[in-house]
DNA sequence: CGGGATCCGCCCGGATACTG
DNA sequence: CAGTATCCGGGCGGATCCCG
């Protein structure tokens, strides 16, 4: 193939007139993209920095996610002509806007962590 | 198996002290859960109503998603002793809070739909 | 350092059929 | 109506190796 590899890169919005949630979930609903985005929200990061910050992500998936984010205009990739190679990623203004609701989701999760696990335990106990 | 079937039901928060995003994405990051949640936000719905409203979801996945949402305390399931059977689903107060950031995400997607597809076309054209 | 290419196992989820 | 059971193909993503 000329570009792209397996998966997440290919998300394209359907032309239909419908609920926008699938689109946004196609962008950041996967396992890693949102975390990458939030980490980049703290400031520009190099590839290896992201690899360590996100923790658990594989080199491959980080690359794929970054490509997808770049393709959708959420992240910029700038190569500095140094030796050793130096590549910096940063969020675009478009991504800045989406970070707010994303942080809100994270905040909600933190607030209700206990309630969630309690609900699960109750559900599992009742069978 | 006694309960549960394939997948989405099993999400359990890791005990570690870390970023809450994976947790919330485990709850509503999949293809359908968020849409189900938003639809239920409009008011209580019966199974078949949801099946038609969400559009594209299979009976199986709707069941799985509802079970997962119920397990995490986001949705209540009430069976009315009628004939024919009547089951109503509704959001809990816990879910009410998460609907706001979710709507914000959807709004963001609607606002930037054009920008996103433009970014993709540009990226693809450049190779 | 910052990737790309390939292999491959597993899980996700659609299709279909059956049930109280 | 509101599910459950089973089958099964595809793709998602980890592991590994290689490269400029």
């Amino acid at each position: 193939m000329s570009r792209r590899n397996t998966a997440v890169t290919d998300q394209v919005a359907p032309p239909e007139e419908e609920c926008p949630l699938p689109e946004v979930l196609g962008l950041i609903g996967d396992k890693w993209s949102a975390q990458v985005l939030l980490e980049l929200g703290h400031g520009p990061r190099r590839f290896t920095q992201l690899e360590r910050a996100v923790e658990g992500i594989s080199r491959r998936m980080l690359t794929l996610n970054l490509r997808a984010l770049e393709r959708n205009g959420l992240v910029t990739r700038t190569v500095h002509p140094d030796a050793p190679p130096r590549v910096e990623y940063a969020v675009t203004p478009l991504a800045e806007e989406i970070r707010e609701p994303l942080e809100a989701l994270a905040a909600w999760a933190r607030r209700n962590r206990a309630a969630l696990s309690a609900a699960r335990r109750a559900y599992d106990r009742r069978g």
Side-chain angles (χ1 to χ4, degrees), chain A:
Chain A
M1 69 198 61
S2 62
R3 203 170 241 270
R4 69 185 46 172
N5 195 332
T6 322
V8 60
T9 314
D10 296 351
Q11 311 295 349
V12 175
E16 299 149 34
E17 185 90 29
E18 53 177 41
C19 177
L21 260 177
E23 302 175 36
V24 76
L25 289 176
L27 299 177
I28 50 83
D30 64 286
K31 196 175 180 183
W32 306 108
S33 295
Q35 292 179 74
V36 172
L37 219 49
L38 285 198
E39 175 63 24
L40 282 179
H42 300 339
R45 292 285 188 272
R46 302 179 54 175
F47 186 88
T48 308
Q49 285 183 307
L50 286 172
E51 194 178 354
R52 281 186 299 242
V54 174
E55 174 143 22
I57 194 171
S58 65
R59 200 178 265 99
R60 168 185 153 83
M61 287 317 292
L62 180 55
T63 301
L64 257 58
N65 283 324
L66 286 171
R67 291 289 174 276
L69 291 171
E70 189 193 356
R71 183 166 109 100
N72 289 287
L74 298 177
V75 157
T76 61
R77 183 182 113 111
T78 56
V79 182
H80 297 84
D82 300 3
R86 182 180 178 183
V87 181
E88 279 208 341
Y89 293 91
V91 290
T92 65
L94 189 60
E96 282 295 341
E97 292 182 47
I98 205 183
R99 286 188 52 242
E100 304 170 22
L102 231 43
E103 302 268 20
L105 279 178
W108 177 90
R110 268 191 301 271
R111 280 201 314 275
N112 302 109
R113 196 181 299 230
L116 288 168
S117 76
R120 281 183 293 251
R121 281 197 307 273
Y123 183 92
D124 292 345
R125 198 175 305 119
R126 299 184 51 191

Coordinates of all heavy atoms in Angstrom, one line a residue, chain A residues 10-96:
Chain A
D10 N -8.5 5.2 8.6 CA -9.5 5.2 7.5 C -10.8 5.9 7.8 O -11.6 5.9 6.9 CB -9.7 3.8 7.0 CG -8.5 3.2 6.4 OD1 -7.5 4.0 6.2 OD2 -8.5 2.0 6.1
Q11 N -11.0 6.3 9.0 CA -12.3 6.8 9.4 C -12.7 8.0 8.4 O -12.1 9.0 8.4 CB -12.3 7.3 10.8 CG -11.8 6.3 11.8 CD -12.6 5.0 11.9 OE1 -13.7 5.0 11.4 NE2 -12.1 4.0 12.5
V12 N -13.8 7.8 7.8 CA -14.4 8.9 7.0 C -15.8 9.1 7.3 O -16.6 8.1 7.4 CB -14.2 8.6 5.5 CG1 -14.9 9.7 4.6 CG2 -12.7 8.5 5.1
A13 N -16.2 10.3 7.4 CA -17.6 10.6 7.8 C -18.5 10.2 6.6 O -18.3 10.5 5.5 CB -17.8 12.1 8.1
P14 N -19.6 9.5 6.9 CA -20.6 9.2 5.9 C -21.3 10.4 5.5 O -21.5 11.4 6.3 CB -21.6 8.2 6.6 CG -21.4 8.6 8.1 CD -20.0 9.0 8.3
P15 N -21.7 10.5 4.2 CA -22.3 11.7 3.7 C -23.7 12.0 4.2 O -24.3 13.0 4.0 CB -22.4 11.4 2.2 CG -22.4 9.9 2.1 CD -21.6 9.4 3.3
E16 N -24.3 11.0 5.0 CA -25.6 11.1 5.4 C -25.9 12.2 6.5 O -24.9 12.7 7.1 CB -26.1 9.7 6.0 CG -26.0 8.6 5.0 CD -25.7 7.3 5.7 OE1 -26.2 7.1 6.8 OE2 -25.0 6.5 5.1
E17 N -27.1 12.5 6.6 CA -27.5 13.6 7.6 C -27.9 13.0 8.9 O -29.1 12.7 9.1 CB -28.6 14.4 6.9 CG -29.0 15.6 7.7 CD -28.3 16.8 7.3 OE1 -27.9 16.8 6.1 OE2 -28.1 17.7 8.1
E18 N -27.0 12.8 9.8 CA -27.4 12.1 11.0 C -26.6 12.4 12.2 O -25.9 13.4 12.2 CB -27.2 10.6 10.7 CG -25.9 10.2 10.3 CD -25.7 8.7 10.1 OE1 -26.7 8.1 9.6 OE2 -24.7 8.2 10.5
C19 N -26.7 11.6 13.2 CA -26.1 11.9 14.5 C -24.6 12.0 14.4 O -23.9 11.1 13.8 CB -26.5 10.8 15.5 SG -25.7 10.9 17.1
P20 N -24.0 13.0 14.9 CA -22.5 13.2 14.7 C -21.7 12.4 15.7 O -20.5 12.5 15.6 CB -22.4 14.7 15.0 CG -23.5 15.0 16.0 CD -24.6 14.1 15.6
L21 N -22.3 11.7 16.6 CA -21.5 11.0 17.6 C -20.6 10.0 17.1 O -19.5 9.9 17.5 CB -22.4 10.4 18.7 CG -22.6 11.2 20.0 CD1 -23.5 10.6 20.9 CD2 -21.2 11.3 20.7
P22 N -21.1 9.1 16.1 CA -20.2 8.1 15.6 C -19.0 8.8 15.0 O -17.9 8.2 15.0 CB -21.1 7.5 14.5 CG -22.5 7.7 15.0 CD -22.5 9.0 15.7
E23 N -19.1 9.9 14.3 CA -18.0 10.6 13.7 C -16.9 10.9 14.8 O -15.7 10.6 14.6 CB -18.4 11.9 13.0 CG -19.4 11.7 12.0 CD -19.9 13.0 11.4 OE1 -19.1 13.9 11.3 OE2 -21.1 13.1 11.1
V24 N -17.3 11.6 15.8 CA -16.4 12.0 16.8 C -15.8 10.8 17.6 O -14.6 10.8 18.0 CB -17.0 13.0 17.8 CG1 -17.9 12.3 18.8 CG2 -16.0 13.8 18.6
L25 N -16.6 9.8 17.7 CA -16.0 8.5 18.3 C -15.1 7.8 17.4 O -14.1 7.2 17.8 CB -17.2 7.6 18.7 CG -18.0 8.1 19.9 CD1 -19.2 7.2 20.2 CD2 -17.1 8.3 21.1
G26 N -15.3 8.0 16.1 CA -14.4 7.5 15.1 C -13.0 8.2 15.2 O -12.0 7.6 14.9
L27 N -13.1 9.4 15.7 CA -11.8 10.2 15.8 C -11.1 9.9 17.1 O -9.9 9.7 17.1 CB -12.1 11.7 15.8 CG -12.8 12.2 14.5 CD1 -13.1 13.7 14.7 CD2 -11.9 12.0 13.3
I28 N -11.8 9.9 18.2 CA -11.1 9.8 19.5 C -11.7 8.7 20.4 O -11.4 8.6 21.6 CB -11.2 11.1 20.3 CG1 -12.6 11.7 20.3 CG2 -10.2 12.1 19.6 CD1 -13.5 11.2 21.4
G29 N -12.6 7.9 19.8 CA -13.3 6.8 20.6 C -12.4 5.6 20.8 O -12.8 4.7 21.7
D30 N -11.3 5.5 20.2 CA -10.5 4.2 20.3 C -9.7 4.3 21.6 O -9.9 5.2 22.4 CB -9.6 4.1 19.1 CG -8.6 5.2 19.0 OD1 -9.0 6.4 18.7 OD2 -7.4 5.0 19.4
K31 N -8.9 3.3 21.7 CA -8.2 3.1 23.0 C -7.3 4.2 23.4 O -7.1 4.5 24.6 CB -7.5 1.7 23.0 CG -7.1 1.2 24.4 CD -6.5 -0.2 24.2 CE -6.1 -0.8 25.6 NZ -5.4 -2.1 25.4
W32 N -6.6 4.8 22.4 CA -5.5 5.7 22.7 C -5.6 7.2 22.3 O -5.0 8.0 22.9 CB -4.2 5.1 22.1 CG -3.9 3.7 22.4 CD1 -4.1 2.7 21.5 CD2 -3.5 3.2 23.6 NE1 -3.7 1.5 22.2 CE2 -3.4 1.8 23.5 CE3 -3.2 3.7 24.9 CZ2 -2.9 1.0 24.5 CZ3 -2.8 2.9 25.9 CH2 -2.7 1.5 25.7
S33 N -6.3 7.4 21.2 CA -6.3 8.8 20.6 C -6.6 9.9 21.6 O -5.9 10.9 21.6 CB -7.2 8.8 19.4 OG -6.8 8.0 18.4
A34 N -7.6 9.7 22.4 CA -8.0 10.7 23.3 C -6.8 11.0 24.3 O -6.5 12.2 24.6 CB -9.2 10.3 24.1
Q35 N -6.2 10.0 24.8 CA -5.1 10.2 25.7 C -3.9 10.9 25.0 O -3.3 11.8 25.7 CB -4.6 8.8 26.2 CG -5.6 8.1 27.1 CD -5.0 6.8 27.6 OE1 -4.2 6.7 28.4 NE2 -5.5 5.7 27.0
V36 N -3.6 10.5 23.8 CA -2.6 11.2 23.1 C -2.9 12.7 22.9 O -2.1 13.6 23.2 CB -2.4 10.6 21.7 CG1 -1.5 11.5 20.8 CG2 -1.9 9.2 21.8
L37 N -4.2 13.0 22.6 CA -4.7 14.3 22.4 C -4.5 15.1 23.7 O -4.0 16.3 23.7 CB -6.1 14.3 22.0 CG -6.5 15.3 20.9 CD1 -5.6 15.4 19.8 CD2 -7.9 15.1 20.5
L38 N -4.9 14.6 24.8 CA -4.8 15.3 26.1 C -3.4 15.5 26.5 O -3.0 16.6 27.0 CB -5.5 14.5 27.2 CG -7.1 14.5 27.2 CD1 -7.6 14.1 28.5 CD2 -7.5 15.9 26.8
E39 N -2.5 14.5 26.2 CA -1.1 14.7 26.5 C -0.5 15.9 25.7 O 0.2 16.7 26.2 CB -0.3 13.4 26.3 CG 1.2 13.5 26.5 CD 1.5 13.9 27.9 OE1 0.8 13.6 28.8 OE2 2.6 14.5 28.1
L40 N -0.9 15.9 24.4 CA -0.4 17.0 23.6 C -1.0 18.3 24.0 O -0.5 19.4 23.7 CB -0.8 16.7 22.1 CG 0.1 15.6 21.4 CD1 -0.4 15.4 20.0 CD2 1.5 16.1 21.4
G41 N -2.1 18.2 24.7 CA -2.7 19.5 25.2 C -1.8 20.2 26.2 O -1.9 21.4 26.4
H42 N -0.9 19.4 26.8 CA 0.0 20.0 27.8 C 1.1 20.8 27.1 O 1.9 21.4 27.8 CB 0.6 19.0 28.7 CG -0.5 18.2 29.5 ND1 -1.8 18.8 29.7 CD2 -0.5 17.0 30.1 CE1 -2.5 17.9 30.4 NE2 -1.8 16.9 30.7
G43 N 1.2 20.6 25.8 CA 2.3 21.2 25.1 C 2.8 20.3 24.0 O 2.5 19.1 24.0
P44 N 3.6 20.8 23.1 CA 4.2 20.0 22.0 C 5.0 18.8 22.6 O 5.6 19.0 23.6 CB 5.1 20.9 21.2 CG 4.5 22.3 21.5 CD 3.9 22.2 22.9
R45 N 5.0 17.7 21.9 CA 5.7 16.5 22.4 C 6.4 15.8 21.3 O 5.9 15.8 20.2 CB 4.7 15.5 23.1 CG 4.1 16.0 24.4 CD 5.1 16.0 25.5 NE 4.5 16.3 26.8 CZ 4.3 17.5 27.3 NH1 4.7 18.6 26.6 NH2 3.8 17.7 28.5
R46 N 7.5 15.2 21.6 CA 8.2 14.4 20.6 C 7.7 13.0 20.7 O 7.0 12.6 21.7 CB 9.7 14.4 20.9 CG 10.3 15.8 20.9 CD 11.8 15.7 21.2 NE 12.5 14.8 20.4 CZ 13.8 14.7 20.4 NH1 14.5 15.4 21.2 NH2 14.4 13.8 19.6
F47 N 8.0 12.2 19.7 CA 7.4 10.9 19.6 C 7.7 10.0 20.8 O 6.8 9.4 21.4 CB 8.0 10.2 18.3 CG 7.3 8.8 18.0 CD1 6.2 8.7 17.3 CD2 7.9 7.7 18.5 CE1 5.6 7.5 17.0 CE2 7.3 6.4 18.3 CZ 6.2 6.4 17.5
T48 N 8.9 10.0 21.2 CA 9.3 9.1 22.3 C 8.7 9.6 23.6 O 8.3 8.8 24.5 CB 10.8 9.1 22.5 OG1 11.4 8.8 21.2 CG2 11.3 8.1 23.5
Q49 N 8.6 11.0 23.8 CA 7.9 11.5 24.9 C 6.5 11.0 25.0 O 6.0 10.6 26.1 CB 7.9 13.0 24.8 CG 9.2 13.7 25.1 CD 9.1 15.2 25.1 OE1 8.6 15.8 24.1 NE2 9.5 15.9 26.2
L50 N 5.8 11.0 23.9 CA 4.4 10.5 23.9 C 4.4 9.0 24.2 O 3.5 8.6 25.0 CB 3.8 10.7 22.5 CG 3.4 12.2 22.2 CD1 3.0 12.3 20.7 CD2 2.3 12.7 23.1
E51 N 5.3 8.3 23.7 CA 5.4 6.9 23.9 C 5.5 6.6 25.4 O 4.8 5.6 25.9 CB 6.6 6.3 23.1 CG 6.6 4.8 23.0 CD 7.8 4.3 22.2 OE1 8.5 5.2 21.7 OE2 7.9 3.1 22.1
R52 N 6.3 7.4 26.1 CA 6.4 7.1 27.5 C 5.2 7.7 28.3 O 4.7 7.1 29.3 CB 7.7 7.8 28.0 CG 8.9 6.9 27.7 CD 10.1 7.6 28.4 NE 10.4 8.9 27.9 CZ 11.5 9.3 27.2 NH1 12.4 8.4 27.0 NH2 11.6 10.5 26.8
A53 N 4.7 8.8 27.8 CA 3.6 9.4 28.6 C 2.3 8.6 28.6 O 1.6 8.5 29.6 CB 3.3 10.8 28.0
V54 N 2.0 8.1 27.4 CA 0.7 7.4 27.3 C 0.7 6.1 28.0 O -0.3 5.6 28.4 CB 0.3 7.3 25.8 CG1 -0.9 6.5 25.6 CG2 0.1 8.7 25.2
E55 N 1.8 5.5 28.0 CA 2.0 4.3 28.9 C 1.1 3.1 28.5 O -0.1 3.1 28.8 CB 1.8 4.6 30.3 CG 1.8 3.3 31.2 CD 2.5 3.6 32.5 OE1 2.5 4.8 33.0 OE2 3.0 2.6 33.1
G56 N 1.7 2.1 27.9 CA 1.0 1.0 27.5 C 0.8 0.9 26.0 O 0.6 -0.1 25.4
I57 N 0.9 2.1 25.4 CA 0.7 2.1 23.9 C 2.0 1.6 23.2 O 3.1 1.7 23.7 CB 0.5 3.6 23.5 CG1 -0.1 3.6 22.0 CG2 1.7 4.4 23.6 CD1 -0.6 5.0 21.5
S58 N 1.7 0.9 22.1 CA 2.8 0.3 21.4 C 3.3 1.4 20.3 O 2.6 2.3 20.0 CB 2.4 -0.9 20.6 OG 1.4 -0.6 19.7
R59 N 4.5 1.2 19.9 CA 5.1 2.2 18.9 C 4.2 2.2 17.7 O 3.9 3.3 17.1 CB 6.5 1.7 18.5 CG 7.4 2.8 17.9 CD 8.8 2.3 17.6 NE 9.7 2.6 18.7 CZ 10.1 1.7 19.6 NH1 9.6 0.5 19.5 NH2 11.0 2.1 20.5
R60 N 3.8 1.1 17.3 CA 2.9 1.0 16.1 C 1.6 1.8 16.3 O 1.2 2.6 15.4 CB 2.6 -0.5 15.9 CG 1.5 -0.7 14.9 CD 1.2 -2.2 14.8 NE -0.2 -2.5 14.4 CZ -0.6 -2.5 13.1 NH1 0.3 -2.3 12.2 NH2 -1.8 -2.7 12.8
M61 N 0.9 1.5 17.4 CA -0.4 2.2 17.6 C -0.2 3.7 17.7 O -1.0 4.5 17.3 CB -1.1 1.6 18.8 CG -1.7 0.2 18.5 SD -2.5 0.1 16.9 CE -3.9 1.2 17.1
L62 N 0.9 4.1 18.4 CA 1.1 5.5 18.5 C 1.3 6.2 17.2 O 0.7 7.2 16.9 CB 2.4 5.8 19.4 CG 2.7 7.3 19.6 CD1 1.6 8.0 20.2 CD2 4.0 7.4 20.5
T63 N 2.0 5.5 16.3 CA 2.2 6.0 14.9 C 0.9 6.1 14.2 O 0.5 7.2 13.7 CB 3.1 5.1 14.1 OG1 4.4 5.1 14.8 CG2 3.3 5.7 12.7
L64 N 0.1 5.1 14.3 CA -1.2 5.0 13.6 C -2.1 6.1 14.1 O -2.8 6.8 13.3 CB -1.8 3.7 13.8 CG -1.7 2.7 12.5 CD1 -0.3 2.5 12.1 CD2 -2.4 1.4 12.8
N65 N -2.2 6.3 15.4 CA -3.0 7.3 16.0 C -2.6 8.7 15.6 O -3.4 9.5 15.3 CB -3.0 7.1 17.5 CG -3.8 6.0 18.0 OD1 -4.9 5.7 17.5 ND2 -3.4 5.3 19.1
L66 N -1.3 8.9 15.7 CA -0.8 10.2 15.3 C -1.1 10.5 13.8 O -1.5 11.7 13.5 CB 0.7 10.3 15.5 CG 1.1 10.4 17.0 CD1 2.6 10.3 17.2 CD2 0.6 11.8 17.6
R67 N -1.0 9.6 13.0 CA -1.3 9.8 11.6 C -2.8 10.1 11.4 O -3.2 11.0 10.6 CB -1.0 8.5 10.8 CG 0.5 8.2 10.6 CD 1.2 9.1 9.7 NE 2.6 8.9 9.7 CZ 3.4 9.4 10.6 NH1 3.0 10.2 11.6 NH2 4.7 9.1 10.5
A68 N -3.6 9.4 12.1 CA -5.1 9.6 12.0 C -5.4 11.0 12.5 O -6.2 11.7 11.9 CB -5.8 8.6 12.8
L69 N -4.8 11.4 13.6 CA -5.1 12.7 14.2 C -4.6 13.8 13.2 O -5.3 14.8 13.1 CB -4.4 12.8 15.6 CG -5.0 12.0 16.7 CD1 -4.1 12.0 17.9 CD2 -6.4 12.4 17.0
E70 N -3.5 13.5 12.6 CA -2.9 14.5 11.7 C -3.9 14.6 10.5 O -4.2 15.7 10.0 CB -1.5 14.1 11.3 CG -0.8 15.1 10.4 CD 0.4 14.5 9.8 OE1 0.7 13.3 10.0 OE2 1.1 15.2 9.0
R71 N -4.3 13.5 10.0 CA -5.1 13.5 8.8 C -6.4 14.2 9.0 O -6.9 14.9 8.1 CB -5.5 12.0 8.4 CG -6.3 11.9 7.2 CD -6.3 10.5 6.6 NE -7.6 9.9 6.8 CZ -8.5 9.8 5.8 NH1 -8.3 10.3 4.6 NH2 -9.7 9.2 6.1
N72 N -7.0 14.2 10.2 CA -8.2 14.9 10.5 C -8.0 16.3 11.0 O -8.9 17.0 11.4 CB -9.0 14.1 11.6 CG -9.6 12.8 11.1 OD1 -10.5 12.8 10.3 ND2 -9.0 11.7 11.4
G73 N -6.8 16.8 10.9 CA -6.5 18.1 11.2 C -6.5 18.5 12.7 O -6.6 19.6 13.1
L74 N -6.3 17.4 13.5 CA -6.3 17.7 15.0 C -4.9 17.8 15.5 O -4.7 18.4 16.6 CB -7.0 16.5 15.7 CG -8.4 16.3 15.3 CD1 -9.0 15.1 16.1 CD2 -9.2 17.5 15.7
V75 N -3.9 17.4 14.8 CA -2.5 17.4 15.2 C -1.6 17.8 14.1 O -1.8 17.4 12.9 CB -2.1 16.0 15.7 CG1 -0.6 15.7 15.7 CG2 -2.7 15.8 17.2
T76 N -0.6 18.6 14.4 CA 0.4 18.9 13.4 C 1.7 18.1 13.6 O 2.0 17.8 14.8 CB 0.8 20.4 13.4 OG1 1.3 20.7 14.7 CG2 -0.4 21.2 13.1
R77 N 2.4 17.7 12.6 CA 3.7 17.0 12.7 C 4.7 17.8 12.0 O 4.7 18.1 10.9 CB 3.5 15.7 12.0 CG 4.8 14.8 12.1 CD 4.6 13.5 11.4 NE 5.5 13.4 10.2 CZ 6.5 12.6 10.2 NH1 6.7 11.7 11.1 NH2 7.3 12.6 9.1
T78 N 5.8 18.2 12.8 CA 6.9 19.0 12.2 C 8.2 18.3 12.5 O 8.5 17.9 13.6 CB 6.9 20.4 12.9 OG1 7.0 20.2 14.3 CG2 5.7 21.2 12.6
V79 N 8.9 18.1 11.4 CA 10.2 17.4 11.4 C 11.3 18.5 11.4 O 11.4 19.3 10.5 CB 10.4 16.5 10.2 CG1 11.7 15.8 10.2 CG2 9.2 15.6 10.0
H80 N 12.1 18.4 12.5 CA 13.3 19.3 12.5 C 14.5 18.6 11.9 O 14.8 17.5 12.3 CB 13.5 19.7 14.0 CG 12.4 20.4 14.6 ND1 11.3 19.8 15.2 CD2 12.2 21.8 14.8 CE1 10.5 20.7 15.7 NE2 11.0 21.9 15.5
P81 N 15.2 19.3 11.0 CA 16.3 18.7 10.3 C 17.5 18.6 11.2 O 18.5 19.3 11.1 CB 16.6 19.7 9.2 CG 16.1 21.0 9.7 CD 15.0 20.7 10.6
D82 N 17.4 17.8 12.2 CA 18.5 17.5 13.1 C 19.1 16.1 13.0 O 18.5 15.3 12.3 CB 18.1 17.7 14.6 CG 17.6 19.1 14.9 OD1 17.5 19.9 13.9 OD2 17.2 19.4 16.0
A83 N 20.2 15.9 13.7 CA 20.7 14.6 13.8 C 21.1 14.4 15.3 O 21.9 15.1 15.8 CB 21.9 14.3 12.9
P84 N 20.4 13.5 16.0 CA 19.4 12.5 15.5 C 18.1 13.2 15.1 O 17.9 14.3 15.6 CB 19.2 11.6 16.7 CG 19.6 12.4 17.9 CD 20.7 13.3 17.4
P85 N 17.3 12.5 14.4 CA 16.0 13.0 13.9 C 15.2 13.6 15.1 O 15.2 13.1 16.2 CB 15.3 11.8 13.3 CG 16.4 10.9 13.0 CD 17.5 11.1 14.0
R86 N 14.4 14.6 14.8 CA 13.6 15.2 15.8 C 12.2 15.6 15.2 O 12.1 16.4 14.3 CB 14.2 16.4 16.4 CG 13.5 17.0 17.5 CD 14.1 18.2 18.1 NE 13.3 18.8 19.1 CZ 13.6 19.9 19.8 NH1 14.7 20.6 19.5 NH2 12.8 20.4 20.7
V87 N 11.2 15.0 15.8 CA 9.8 15.2 15.3 C 9.0 15.7 16.4 O 8.9 15.0 17.5 CB 9.2 13.9 14.6 CG1 7.8 14.2 14.1 CG2 10.1 13.4 13.5
E88 N 8.3 16.8 16.2 CA 7.4 17.3 17.2 C 6.0 17.3 16.8 O 5.6 17.7 15.7 CB 7.8 18.7 17.6 CG 9.0 18.7 18.6 CD 8.9 20.0 19.5 OE1 8.3 20.9 19.1 OE2 9.6 19.9 20.5
Y89 N 5.1 16.9 17.7 CA 3.7 16.9 17.5 C 3.0 17.9 18.4 O 3.4 18.2 19.5 CB 3.1 15.5 17.8 CG 3.6 14.4 16.8 CD1 4.7 13.7 17.1 CD2 2.9 14.2 15.7 CE1 5.1 12.7 16.2 CE2 3.3 13.2 14.8 CZ 4.4 12.5 15.1 OH 4.9 11.5 14.2
A90 N 2.0 18.6 17.8 CA 1.2 19.6 18.6 C -0.2 19.6 18.2 O -0.6 19.1 17.1 CB 1.9 21.0 18.4
V91 N -1.1 20.0 19.1 CA -2.5 20.1 18.7 C -2.8 21.3 17.9 O -2.1 22.4 18.0 CB -3.4 20.1 20.0 CG1 -3.3 18.8 20.7 CG2 -2.9 21.3 20.9
T92 N -3.8 21.2 17.1 CA -4.3 22.4 16.3 C -5.4 23.1 17.0 O -5.9 22.6 18.0 CB -4.8 21.9 14.9 OG1 -6.0 21.1 15.2 CG2 -3.8 21.1 14.2
P93 N -5.7 24.3 16.6 CA -6.8 25.0 17.2 C -8.1 24.2 17.2 O -8.9 24.2 18.2 CB -7.0 26.3 16.3 CG -5.6 26.5 15.8 CD -5.0 25.2 15.6
L94 N -8.3 23.5 16.1 CA -9.5 22.6 16.1 C -9.5 21.6 17.2 O -10.6 21.4 17.8 CB -9.4 21.8 14.7 CG -10.6 21.0 14.3 CD1 -11.9 21.9 14.2 CD2 -10.4 20.3 13.0
A95 N -8.4 21.1 17.5 CA -8.3 20.1 18.6 C -8.4 20.8 20.0 O -8.9 20.1 20.9 CB -7.0 19.3 18.6
E96 N -8.0 22.0 20.1 CA -8.1 22.7 21.4 C -9.6 22.7 21.8 O -9.9 22.6 23.0 CB -7.6 24.2 21.2 CG -6.1 24.3 21.2 CD -5.6 23.9 22.6 OE1 -6.3 23.9 23.6 OE2 -4.3 23.7 22.6

